Amino acid sequence: MPNSISRRTLIELGLAGASAALAGTALAEPAPFPEPQLPPLPDSEKIGFAVVGLGKLSQGQIIPGLKGARGAKLAALVSGHPDKARRIAAEQGLPADAIYTYDDYDRIAHDPRIQVVYIVLPNSMHAEYTIRALKAGKHVLCEKPMATSIADCEAMIAAAKAADRKLMIAYRCHYEPLNLEVMRRMRSGALGKPRLVVTNMGRQSDLSDPSDAWRLDQKMSGGGALADMGIYGVNASRYILAEEPVEVRAWAQTDRSDPRFRTTEDVIAWQFRFPSGAIANGSTSFSYQGTMAYQVFCEHGKMTAEPGAFYGGNHLTIDGAKGDREPKIHEIDQFAREMDWMADVVRGKAPLVSPGEEGLQDMRLMHAILESVAKGGATVRTDWGYRRAYDPAVMVDVPRPV
Ligand code: NAD
């Protein structure tokens, strides 16, 4: 099996074979992208999505993203606010019978317009609404973090298996051009061996904003800034290095007199040690100036992604590579790309690159970080043997920098 292998080739091989083929591709050459841009499918062939929870992300990114998707479309809304749901349905041209409440949610089982349910609720509600959707026979795309506990993540994975439905976690950076470019350059080995990854993901929070109030509540968020923003760094250090941490140490700095931090930690800094010898330093906070940035230090070069995980305008600088110090990253709608990927998963045309197991791995690592914090920075072992099934760098096609 050649080391350089494109996603299309893998899919032509059949997905079962693809998994085996990937086993030896850790240092694969970047795939020969870009692939041709495909036209939108006819409406009748698009996969119908029900969006559950009509908050900031749904209204700002997901519903607009569905409009621009190639093979996915908005089919239903689930909300506890009838006025808001009616307004959005009217704007999107949805009929009144495509609006569900949390009480009559289970009726989606009888609605053939819905194939995928997208869970965009506060984190503590992800497990219940995912499991109910799976029991209703629907596939689920669930926002990050997957849930608020390891047990809930495991129950969600078990429910998907029992229902024989797909469960994907909405890790949008797996479908985003800058992050895929970083992954591909790492896999190519062009900058030499990775030595250190530094991720800083956080922002200021505002208790008077209802959307932040639940994020600052431990029960609803499962971990404040770490669960909301730090998770991007936990996930990024793993997909940049294409390996899993074996140990973590972490410290927190939280001002308990600040009303925002009654139940959650504020600043957390952690260190992951990876089997290759690489180290990842991560930080998160709900009281520092907004940042979604990372740096990768390799033997012969350095990559800086700042911002590295915004919805748009991500910027990559490469030191030590010839010719392309600032590759121009293509602007795409990463939400549309992610939902199109889910639609292709449902069609059986694409593998689950970010399955429930990915969400569970991050949940376990975040719990290990919090365990180390509780033990004053003690080392916590994390070598429980998880291996990612598919490498986004090999599988996901987006336009490459020009
Ligand atoms: P939000 O607070 O703006 O929206 C949450 C929605 O849930 C609201 O419509 C609210 O009315 C509804 N809701 C139902 N029951 C609720 C309850 N008991 N308490 C509070 N709200 C309740 O949040 P958001 O920013 O849209 O985030 C939703 C999810 O999306 C979260 O899991 C978050 O982590 C995730 N998210 C992901 C990204 C990303 O880039 N992938 C970005 C933002 C948010």
Side-chain angles (χ1 to χ4, degrees):
M1 185 62 60
N3 241 6
S4 173
I5 189 161
S6 79
R7 170 181 164 247
R8 184 145 293 165
T9 313
L10 285 170
I11 288 169
E12 280 161 7
L13 284 171
L15 297 182
S19 180
L22 268 177
T25 57
L27 285 175
E29 285 298 312
F33 297 109
E35 296 194 347
Q37 298 298 294
L38 299 168
L41 290 173
D43 216 49
S44 58
E45 287 177 34
K46 289 183 177 174
I47 301 288
F49 278 56
V51 175
V52 187
L54 302 178
K56 285 187 184 174
L57 186 70
S58 290
Q59 293 192 58
Q61 272 68 43
I62 291 169
I63 292 171
L66 281 166
K67 271 211 171 316
R70 174 180 177 264
K73 65 181 176 189
L74 183 66
L77 301 171
V78 182
S79 171
H81 296 92
D83 291 348
K84 181 167 65 177
R86 273 195 294 271
R87 172 180 59 76
I88 297 172
E91 284 165 9
Q92 300 298 322
L94 284 185
D97 70 353
I99 300 175
Y100 293 86
T101 66
Y102 299 120
D103 293 331
D104 68 9
Y105 177 62
D106 304 296
R107 284 199 305 109
I108 60 172
H110 310 293
D111 192 334
R113 295 170 296 188
I114 304 170
Q115 284 146 294
V116 174
V117 173
Y118 193 165
I119 308 293
V120 203
L121 290 164
N123 308 342
S124 59
M125 301 171 75
H126 290 183
E128 179 193 338
Y129 286 86
T130 293
I131 292 169
R132 282 169 68 181
L134 292 165
K135 284 188 174 159
K138 307 299 177 184
H139 305 282
V140 173
L141 176 57
C142 177
E143 263 307 329
K144 49 52 64 179
M146 182 173 175
T148 51
S149 72
I150 293 168
D152 276 355
C153 294
E154 289 170 342
M156 292 159 80
I157 292 168
K161 285 209 175 94
D164 194 20
R165 301 286 90 180
K166 305 292 186 188
L167 171 59
M168 170 168 150
I169 309 304
Y171 283 117
R172 60 183 169 78
C173 292
H174 295 187
Y175 308 89
E176 190 277 330
L178 179 144
N179 286 280
L180 285 162
E181 185 63 20
V182 169
M183 288 183 234
R184 289 186 183 123
R185 284 175 188 257
M186 295 303 293
R187 306 297 183 272
S188 80
L191 298 178
K193 280 189 193 157
R195 309 303 300 134
L196 178 72
V197 176
V198 180
T199 65
N200 296 307
M201 307 273 180
R203 61 177 172 83
Q204 275 292 349
S205 55
D206 176 1
L207 197 51
S208 67
D209 178 346
S211 190
D212 270 4
W214 69 256
R215 285 173 160 88
L216 289 158
D217 180 273
Q218 176 66 26
K219 274 209 176 95
M220 291 198 80
S221 68
L226 176 64
D228 193 49
M229 302 288 288
I231 186 171
Y232 286 94
V234 171
N235 197 256
S237 55
R238 298 173 42 240
Y239 62 65
I240 290 166
L241 294 169
E243 56 179 342
E244 301 299 325
V246 291
E247 278 178 353
V248 61
R249 298 190 299 177
W251 294 264
Q253 186 61 47
T254 306
D255 176 1
R256 293 286 174 210
S257 71
D258 184 329
R260 294 179 296 180
F261 303 114
R262 291 212 175 97
T263 60
T264 53
E265 300 292 354
D266 177 15
V267 183
I268 301 180
W270 67 87
Q271 276 189 329
F272 285 140
R273 191 173 66 76
F274 287 82
S276 67
I279 287 173
N281 280 346
S283 86
T284 189
S285 169
F286 261 163
S287 76
Y288 65 37
Q289 183 172 331
T291 171
M292 292 192 94
Y294 61 79
Q295 281 187 304
V296 192
F297 296 83
C298 302
E299 284 173 313
H300 310 302
K302 176 178 90 177
M303 285 191 274
T304 303
E306 185 159 22
F310 279 5
Y311 298 159
N314 290 322
H315 185 260
L316 180 63
T317 310
I318 305 173
D319 294 311
K322 281 186 200 125
D324 56 353
R325 206 183 121 73
E326 293 190 28
K328 187 169 160 22
I329 303 299
H330 271 277
E331 289 293 331
I332 66 162
D333 183 332
Q334 55 192 280
F335 290 91
R337 187 72 196 89
E338 175 183 74
M339 291 186 280
D340 272 334
W341 191 272
M342 179 71 191
D344 274 348
V345 167
V346 169
R347 292 187 185 96
K349 289 188 170 174
L352 264 173
V353 167
S354 49
E357 286 77 3
E358 267 292 288
L360 170 61
Q361 171 70 350
D362 281 343
M363 188 63 48
R364 294 185 77 181
L365 290 169
M366 291 191 292
H367 275 74
I369 287 172
L370 293 174
E371 183 186 337
S372 177
V373 166
K375 292 177 176 166
T379 299
V380 175
R381 295 201 68 86
T382 59
D383 53 349
W384 41 70
Y386 174 74
R387 281 289 310 265
R388 183 191 293 277
Y390 295 103
D391 183 351
V394 179
M395 303 307 287
V396 180
D397 49 337
V398 293
R400 293 200 69 189
V402 284

